[in-house]
Structure formats: C-alpha cells, structure tokens
Amino acid sequence: MSFRTLNLTDELHAYVVAHNPNTDEVAGALIEETRRVLPDNAGMQIAPEQAGLLTMLTRLVDAKVAVEVGTFTGYSALSISRGLADGGKLICFDISTEFTDIARRYWDLAGVTDRIELRIGPAQKGLAELPADPVVDIAFIDADKSSYPTYWDELVPRMRPGGLLVIDNVLRHGRVLNPETTDDQVIVGFNTMVRDDPRVDSILLPVADGITVARVR
Ligand SMILES: C[S@@+](CC[C@H](N)C(=O)[O-])C[C@H]1O[C@@H](n2cnc3c(N)ncnc32)[C@H](O)[C@@H]1O
C-alpha cells in the first residue's frame, strides 16, 4: 500500500501546531477562553493547523472580499482577516451573540475589527440577500451541516473565477463511511455533489476533520 496521511499522535500534533502561524498570544488566549467558558461547544472551533491554512489561502487569492458562514468565537474569522489584502473585508454570519461577543473581543485585541462585518441571523437568509455579483474571493463554510448544500448554492454563483470555497468537517470524524445522523448523510451527499460540480475544481484534504478546497472555474 502506498504511503498515506499520518495518524497524528498528541506529540506530533503539537509539533505541527508549533510550526504553523496563528498560534500567537491572541489566538492562544482565544482557544483557552473558548475551552474554559464553553466546554461543551469548544469542539466546534477550527483546529490551529486549519487557522494557518485559512490565512494562507486568503493571501494566495489576494482576497478583498471574504465571506464566513459560522463564526462561533471567531478563530477562523481572525485567521481569514489576517490574510486579507489591504482594504479587504470579511463578512461573517452567525446566529449567536453569546458566541460572537467573545469573537469581537479577540478581534479587537488582534486589531482586525475594522476588517470584519458580523451579521447576526440565519446565514441562509443572509447569503441570499448578498448582491448577486461574482465578487467573493474566498468563502469559508463551517455552520449547521444540514444547510451546507444551501450555502454552496448561494455562494458558488457569487464567487469570482479563481475564487476559493473552503468547507470544514467534511469527514464527520470518519462517519462519512457509516453515517449515523441526518447531518452525516447530508455531508455524504454534499461531498459527492461538490466533487462532481462542473463549476469548480476541488480537493478534499484530511486536515483536522477534513477540509475541502474548491476553486471556481
Ligand atoms: C462549527 S461552529 C463555527 C466555528 C468557527 N468557524 C471557529 O473558527 O471557531 C458553527 C457556528 O455556526 C453557527 N450557526 C448555526 N446555525 C447557523 C445558521 N443557520 N446561520 C448562521 N450561523 C449558524 C453556530 O452558532 C456556531 O457558532
């Protein structure tokens, strides 16, 4: 069998994290507070190794317009905002002020607040209300799994050619092989749909819980 992605031990994971950006003081404090204040929800936060990837992808497309669906306590938004081009903006959607009030504090600390516009309310509605022009450089989808197909349908036509859609949790901790919940089943169908969508080229990366990167043609 050919070589495949390592199963990371805790020690090797720590090594990976130590050799990635976005594990600075602000990000570290945000991770710590999220775990302490929201222990039951902290697992929703992106992994540190995904944070660096988001910043890098945002830089690679020289993003001026970015969209995030699912902000929670703000780590992914912090990472995207750090990669934006001068004058760039990130529009974030979330339904929770409890979670995003924490995000706002850390964006302030990191000095990125002026680059982020947070819209509270269901992203299904928020995305549908965005202008139809294809101007989005990068979009990150990380909210309720059952709506991933809706988010995809709303976002793809709004992406500029060469823009990137980045989608988290596409492996469902391995349950894509044996779906246990409706959300798992939605993601199984979603992954096939993305792979076969002629409007994009996509790769599914086994980073953290699986992250798909799709480039709009
Ligand atoms: C997995 S967490 C996002 C984690 C975040 N990207 C981070 O880096 O920490 C999912 C978020 O989606 C939000 N959410 C759930 N349903 C939503 C909806 N219909 N519209 C917008 N946000 C929603 C939740 O409030 C939660 O904060």
Side-chain angles (χ1 to χ4, degrees):
M1 186 184 290
S2 57
F3 187 75
R4 56 185 176 194
T5 304
L6 286 173
N7 221 342
L8 296 186
T9 59
D10 287 350
E11 203 180 355
L12 201 47
H13 179 254
Y15 183 88
V16 170
V17 171
H19 290 79
N20 270 287
N22 290 324
T23 45
D24 60 286
E25 219 173 291
V26 177
L30 170 57
I31 293 168
E32 189 281 319
E33 178 169 344
T34 302
R35 286 182 186 159
R36 182 167 41 79
V37 178
L38 299 166
D40 295 340
N41 296 305
M44 296 204 294
Q45 190 169 53
I46 57 158
E49 60 268 33
Q50 292 178 300
L53 180 62
L54 284 174
T55 306
M56 178 65 81
L57 292 174
T58 306
R59 276 209 188 106
L60 285 174
V61 294
D62 196 26
K64 293 193 170 56
V65 182
V67 173
E68 172 176 274
V69 183
T71 295
F72 189 44
T73 56
Y75 190 18
S76 50
L78 173 63
S79 309
I80 294 166
S81 69
R82 284 174 160 166
L84 288 171
D86 282 351
K89 274 271 177 198
L90 168 63
I91 301 171
C92 290
F93 294 98
D94 204 290
I95 47 173
S96 166
T97 51
E98 181 198 355
F99 297 156
T100 54
D101 281 352
I102 296 175
R104 287 183 194 278
R105 277 197 284 112
Y106 283 92
W107 296 340
D108 273 347
L109 282 172
V112 297
T113 297
D114 59 341
R115 301 181 213 169
I116 301 177
E117 185 186 327
L118 176 61
R119 300 188 184 176
I120 298 295
Q124 297 85 339
K125 184 165 178 289
L127 289 176
E129 286 170 1
L130 287 177
D133 322 321
V135 296
V136 180
D137 299 299
I138 187 163
F140 181 50
I141 301 177
D142 189 22
D144 51 316
K145 309 308 158 196
S146 58
S147 298
Y148 271 29
T150 303
Y151 299 146
W152 180 263
D153 289 344
E154 292 293 347
L155 281 165
V156 173
R158 292 179 166 88
M159 305 300 298
R160 57 115 161 137
L164 298 180
L165 294 127
V166 185
I167 302 110
D168 198 17
N169 304 114
V170 293
L171 291 179
R172 302 293 292 156
H173 298 277
R175 295 193 304 275
V176 283
L177 296 181
N178 292 300
E180 292 169 16
T181 65
T182 309
D183 281 359
D184 295 345
Q185 274 160 1
V186 170
I187 294 301
V188 169
F190 176 77
N191 287 339
T192 305
M193 188 264 286
V194 169
R195 183 196 61 196
D196 297 341
D197 191 325
R199 299 170 297 177
V200 303
D201 298 304
S202 67
I203 49 169
L204 194 166
L205 298 169
V207 177
D209 187 25
I211 193 161
T212 288
V213 180
R215 182 180 185 273
V216 175
R217 290 178 173 164

